[in-house]
Amino acid sequence: MAITKKEFFQLFKSVKSIIMIVVLLVSSYYFAKYTERLVPILELEQTSSWYAGGLLIILLLFGPLFVMSLSHDVLNRELSERTMRFLVTKTSKANILFGKFLGVWIFWFVCFTVCYLITLFYSKSFDGRLFLETVSLLTYLVVITLLLSSVIKSPQYTMFIGVIFGMAFSIFQMVILESTAWYSYLKYLMPLFYMQDEDFKFLIVFLQAAVMYSMTYFIFKRTDC
């Protein structure tokens, strides 16, 4: 719990975090505001999907960049600064990893929940499925960030790779989904593949996150502190 609190509040103290939170809030506000105006003009049925879907699109496009750029060093920072040795004397590596994951996850969950409340103010309704889709994608992004930070030991490298990955990931997903080439089978690894239809296939994204979390723990457990 102490590790979770530390990670959570450390993210809130960052200037980059504040900027990204403001960007998210402003984006959510203006999307909801102009959606409310466009729906009657286009003679479309006003549903919560129009509002909540916009936030999901924001997460799909910019979520990887936001999460990666802020949390790329969530594990390797402790290794680089030699503070991991102190942590492992106080608790297990399993608790350290879970505490790190939970701290980062709660931070982003709070940010996007506040954005949802903004859209809720305009839509006057709540789309539970779309909200859970957003949570599943958020979980996926946090875990893949942990995995990257466990594989690459240098925070400088993960910062660079994280930004590149964050910018390219959304585009890569869309290219893979539209591709008919031999590598199109990679679509089954992409969370967007399971979020295209209005059903509950998106729950597989949680399973993907669980598999990557297990891989992260396997690597982290064998890392020398």
Side-chain angles (χ1 to χ4, degrees):
M1 185 60 71
I3 294 174
T4 300
K5 288 181 179 178
K6 178 185 176 184
E7 203 65 41
F8 177 78
F9 288 111
Q10 186 168 323
L11 281 170
F12 265 115
K13 292 176 182 178
S14 168
V15 175
K16 289 192 298 182
S17 300
I18 296 172
I19 293 173
M20 290 186 182
I21 291 171
V22 171
V23 170
L24 279 174
L25 293 176
V26 170
S27 301
S28 301
Y29 170 75
Y30 278 102
F31 185 90
K33 181 178 179 180
Y34 287 105
T35 295
E36 186 182 45
R37 295 180 180 180
L38 286 174
V39 167
I41 293 174
L42 298 177
E43 297 182 352
L44 298 170
E45 181 182 357
Q46 183 168 329
T47 67
S48 60
S49 298
W50 280 92
Y51 298 88
L55 187 57
L56 181 59
I57 291 172
I58 292 172
L59 182 59
L60 282 168
L61 293 177
F62 303 109
L65 178 61
F66 286 179
V67 176
M68 287 282 182
S69 60
L70 287 184
S71 306
H72 65 91
D73 59 350
V74 62
L75 288 176
N76 58 24
R77 179 182 68 244
E78 304 286 359
L79 293 170
S80 177
E81 296 175 355
R82 304 293 184 182
T83 52
M84 188 64 74
R85 293 181 179 180
F86 171 76
L87 291 177
V88 295
T89 62
K90 300 295 182 180
T91 186
S92 65
K93 285 189 174 181
N95 289 336
I96 294 172
L97 182 62
F98 184 71
K100 293 280 187 179
F101 161 76
L102 196 59
V104 175
W105 186 89
I106 291 175
F107 169 80
W108 287 109
F109 179 77
V110 168
C111 292
F112 278 94
T113 298
V114 172
C115 293
Y116 253 95
L117 292 176
I118 293 174
T119 62
L120 186 64
F121 175 80
Y122 286 93
S123 67
K124 305 297 191 297
S125 60
F126 177 75
D127 192 317
R129 183 185 60 80
L130 276 173
F131 180 77
L132 288 176
E133 278 193 4
T134 304
V135 173
S136 70
L137 180 59
L138 174 62
T139 305
Y140 180 98
L141 294 175
V142 171
V143 173
I144 203 171
T145 302
L146 279 171
L147 180 59
L148 178 67
S149 190
S150 67
V151 172
I152 303 173
K153 308 307 179 186
S154 171
Q156 289 77 18
Y157 288 136
T158 49
M159 179 176 65
F160 174 75
I161 295 172
V163 170
I164 298 299
F165 179 88
M167 292 189 295
F169 184 67
S170 299
I171 299 173
F172 178 73
Q173 283 195 98
M174 296 175 188
V175 170
I176 290 295
L177 291 179
E178 296 297 324
S179 175
T180 57
W182 62 268
Y183 53 79
S184 61
Y185 70 91
L186 291 174
K187 66 184 179 183
Y188 298 108
L189 300 177
M190 303 292 106
L192 185 57
F193 176 76
Y194 303 102
M195 302 170 69
Q196 298 180 91
D197 303 318
E198 294 185 3
D199 54 24
F200 288 89
K201 287 201 298 288
F202 72 88
L203 294 174
I204 296 175
V205 179
F206 285 112
L207 180 60
Q208 291 178 313
V211 171
M212 289 192 296
Y213 185 90
S214 299
M215 292 170 58
T216 304
Y217 177 66
F218 179 81
I219 296 170
F220 183 54
K221 187 178 179 181
R222 284 158 178 74
T223 299
D224 293 330
C225 298

